[in-house]
C-alpha cells in the first residue's frame, strides 16, 4: 500500500522538487499540499504549488492556502542574509501559469479535519515555517494525537543559513516551531541542514535530470540549476557547483529510511536570544533534563537521493517528446 502524506510547503524551488517527488513516486500517495508564508508570500507559494502540480500532470492533487504571517511576530526582521536577493527562491517559478485553482477551505481547517477523520495513517511533512502546524495544534486539542508521524525539514545543529545560529524555517516563526517541538507528537523526525547539506545535487546531475525529457526532469533541472547559482554566489557548499534540495530529502526519506542517519534526542527552540532566536537547541550529549522528543538526522546518503530523483522524474507528463 502506498504511504499517504500531506506536504506543508512555502514553495520555493526545493519545495517544488519535493512536491514533484511526492506526487510521482509509486510508493507514495500525496493527498494534498498546504501552503504557508515563508520563502515568498503565501499567495505566491500557492500559485507556485499549483503550477508545479499542473506541469507534471497532477493537477488533481488539491492545494489549500494557509497562514500569511508568523504566529506571534508581526513580520520577521530581514537579516543581512535575506537583504540580498540570492536568487535561490523567486516569487513566481519559471513554469506555465497554473490552470488549477486553490481550494476554498483554509489549510489549517483542512489539516485539522483530515487528521480527525483519517482511517489510514497519514504522514505530515512540513517543509516551510511551522505556522500552519502550530495553528492546528492551538485550535484542536486532539490534533497532535491524530497525527501518527511528522517529518519536518528545518533547524540546524552545526550552523544556520539565515543567521549564524538559525535555519530559515524555524527562524521565520520560532514561536510556532517551539509549539510543534514541545507538542508531544508520537513520532517526530527532524531533517536539519546538517543532513540536507550532505545530499547535494551537482550541475551535472541537474543536466542529467533535464536529459530525461520529462516535465518533472526539466522542471527539477531548472530549479536546481537556479539553486546552484544562488548558493555559489551567496553560501558556496563544500562542493562548488552543487546545492542542497532540502525539502525533497524529507520526501525521499519516507521511501528510503536508510537515506538518513538519525539520533533520538531532545530539541527545543530559542525564541528570546538576541543572537540566537530561531536556533534549534539539539541536546546531542544529554546535557539537559528534557527527554528526547525527536529523531534528528545528522547524516544523509547523497547517492540514494539522486538515484531516486533520476528514477522517479522519468515519469509524469511529457510535453517535449
Ligand atoms: O532552510 C531551508 C528551508 O528554508 C527549505 O525548506 C527552503 O525551502 C526554505 O523554506
Ligand atoms: Ca521550504
Amino acid at each position: 500500500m502506498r504511504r499517504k502524506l500531506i506536504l506543508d510547503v512555502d514553495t520555493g524551488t526545493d519545495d517544488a522538487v519535493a512536491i514533484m517527488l511526492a506526487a510521482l513516486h509509486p510508493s507514495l500517495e500525496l493527498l494534498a499540499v498546504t501552503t504557508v508564508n515563508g520563502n515568498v508570500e503565501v499567495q505566491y507559494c500557492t500559485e507556485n504549488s499549483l503550477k508545479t502540480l499542473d506541469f507534471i500532470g497532477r493537477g488533481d492533487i488539491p492545494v489549500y492556502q494557509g497562514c500569511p504571517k508568523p504566529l506571534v511576530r508581526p513580520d520577521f526582521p530581514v537579516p543581512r542574509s535575506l537583504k540580498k536577493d540570492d536568487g535561490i527562491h523567486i516569487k513566481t517559478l519559471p513554469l506555465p501559469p497554473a490552470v488549477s485553482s486553490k481550494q476554498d477551505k483554509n489549510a489549517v481547517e483542512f489539516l485539522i479535519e483530515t487528521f480527525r477523520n483519517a482511517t489510514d495513517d497519514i504522514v505530515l511533512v512540513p517543509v516551510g515555517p511551522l505556522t500552519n502546524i502550530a495553528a492546528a495544534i492551538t485550535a484542536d486539542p486532539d490534533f497532535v494525537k491524530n497525527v501518527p508521524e511528522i517529518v519536518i525539514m528545518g533547524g540546524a545543529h552545526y550552523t544556520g543559513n539565515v543567521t549564524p545560529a538559525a535555519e530559515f524555517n524555524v527562524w521565520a516563526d520560532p514561536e510556532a516551531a517551539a509549539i510543534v517541538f514541545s507538542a508531544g507528537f508520537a513520532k517526530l523526525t527532524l531533517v536539519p541542514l546538517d543532513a540536507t547539506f550532505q545530499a547535494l545535487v551537482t550541475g551535472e546531475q541537474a543536466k542529467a535530470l533535464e536529459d530525461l525529457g520529462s516535465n518533472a526532469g526539466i522542471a527539477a533541472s531548472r530549479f536546481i540549476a537556479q539553486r546552484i547559482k544562488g548558493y555559489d554566489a551567496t553560501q558556496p557548499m563544500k562542493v562548488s557547483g552543487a546545492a542542497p534540495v532540502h525539502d525533497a530529502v524529507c520526501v525521499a526519506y519516507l521511501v528510503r529510511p536508510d537515506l538518513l542517519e538519525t539520533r533520538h534526542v531532545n530539541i527545543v527552540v530559542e525564541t528570546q536570544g538576541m543572537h540566537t532566536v530561531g536556533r534549534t537547541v539539539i541536546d546531542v550529549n544529554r546535557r539537559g533534563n528534557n527527554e528526547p522528543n525527536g529523531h534528528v538526522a545528522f547524516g544523509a546518503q547523497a547517492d540514494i537521493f539522486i538515484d531516486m530523483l533520476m528514477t522517479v522524474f522519468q515519469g509524469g507528463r511529457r510535453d517535449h517528446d
Side-chain angles (χ1 to χ4, degrees), residues 10 14-15 39 89 127-128 153 161 167-169 193 246-247:
D10 61 333
D14 58 328
D15 306 70
N39 286 316
H89 298 291
V127 293
M153 191 285 136
N161 58 0
E167 176 278 330
F168 176 80
N169 286 340
L193 299 179
H246 310 284
D247 300 342

Side-chain angles (χ1 to χ4, degrees), residues 107-118 131-147 179 183 185:
V108 177
E109 195 183 337
F110 165 77
L111 289 169
I112 289 170
E113 288 177 6
T114 302
F115 281 98
R116 179 183 294 147
N117 302 326
T131 316
N132 287 343
I133 316 309
I137 292 168
T138 307
D140 175 8
D142 293 329
F143 182 73
V144 175
K145 174 170 63 65
N146 293 339
V147 177
I179 288 171
F185 283 100

Side-chain angles (χ1 to χ4, degrees), residues 19-311:
I19 287 171
M20 294 192 294
L21 184 59
L24 296 176
H25 199 293
S27 302
L28 298 175
E29 183 180 355
L30 180 57
L31 297 178
V33 172
T34 54
T35 64
V36 67
N37 170 68
N39 286 316
V40 292
E41 291 87 346
V42 69
Q43 61 272 26
Y44 294 106
C45 298
T46 302
E47 178 66 16
N48 286 334
S49 301
L50 287 165
K51 60 183 175 179
T52 298
L53 288 164
D54 284 337
F55 191 61
I56 62 169
R58 291 305 315 271
D60 58 296
I61 296 173
V63 177
Y64 297 83
Q65 184 162 303
C67 299
K69 288 245 179 240
L71 269 197
V72 173
R73 295 162 193 258
D75 203 351
F76 43 76
V78 181
R80 181 185 59 77
S81 59
L82 291 189
K83 284 198 177 84
K84 298 192 297 287
D85 173 12
D86 62 16
I88 295 171
H89 298 291
I90 50 177
K91 284 193 176 195
T92 54
L93 289 180
L95 291 177
V99 293
S100 306
S101 303
K102 70 179 172 73
Q103 303 298 305
D104 293 337
K105 187 173 290 184
N106 174 278
V108 177
E109 195 183 337
F110 165 77
L111 289 169
I112 289 170
E113 288 177 6
T114 302
F115 281 98
R116 179 183 294 147
N117 302 326
T119 52
D120 296 324
D121 280 358
I122 304 171
V123 187
L124 178 55
V125 185
V127 293
L130 291 164
T131 316
N132 287 343
I133 316 309
I137 292 168
T138 307
D140 175 8
D142 293 329
F143 182 73
V144 175
K145 174 170 63 65
N146 293 339
V147 177
E149 184 176 0
I150 184 168
V151 179
I152 299 167
M153 191 285 136
H157 185 58
Y158 173 65
T159 179
N161 58 0
V162 70
T163 74
E167 176 278 330
F168 176 80
N169 286 340
V170 175
W171 174 89
D173 195 344
E175 287 77 13
I179 288 171
V180 171
F181 287 116
S182 61
F185 283 100
K187 188 175 179 192
L188 183 152
T189 301
L190 179 68
V191 185
L193 299 179
D194 307 74
T196 61
F197 280 171
Q198 294 183 42
L200 302 178
V201 181
T202 67
E204 293 70 31
Q205 290 165 337
K207 180 67 175 68
L209 285 165
E210 182 183 36
D211 293 344
L212 294 174
S214 58
N215 285 15
I218 290 165
S221 177
R222 207 175 283 176
F223 300 151
I224 294 169
Q226 181 172 325
R227 296 180 59 79
I228 292 170
K229 190 168 167 227
Y231 269 86
D232 278 355
T234 61
Q235 41 181 320
M237 296 284 100
K238 57 183 187 294
V239 175
S240 71
V245 189
H246 310 284
D247 300 342
V249 173
C250 293
V251 174
Y253 166 71
L254 299 183
V255 180
R256 288 287 302 268
D258 57 327
L259 167 66
L260 299 177
E261 173 209 325
T262 63
R263 292 176 60 185
H264 194 206
V265 289
N266 181 266
I267 312 145
V268 294
V269 176
E270 176 57 62
T271 58
Q272 305 298 322
M274 184 191 324
H275 305 292
T276 56
V277 66
R279 179 166 180 72
T280 44
V281 180
I282 302 172
D283 189 359
V284 291
N285 291 327
R286 296 298 298 265
R287 297 296 85 206
N289 299 320
N290 300 320
E291 287 305 305
N293 58 349
H295 302 269
V296 178
F298 287 98
Q301 302 292 327
D303 54 342
I304 293 176
F305 180 55
I306 188 63
D307 289 350
M308 190 184 295
L309 297 185
M310 292 301 296
T311 304

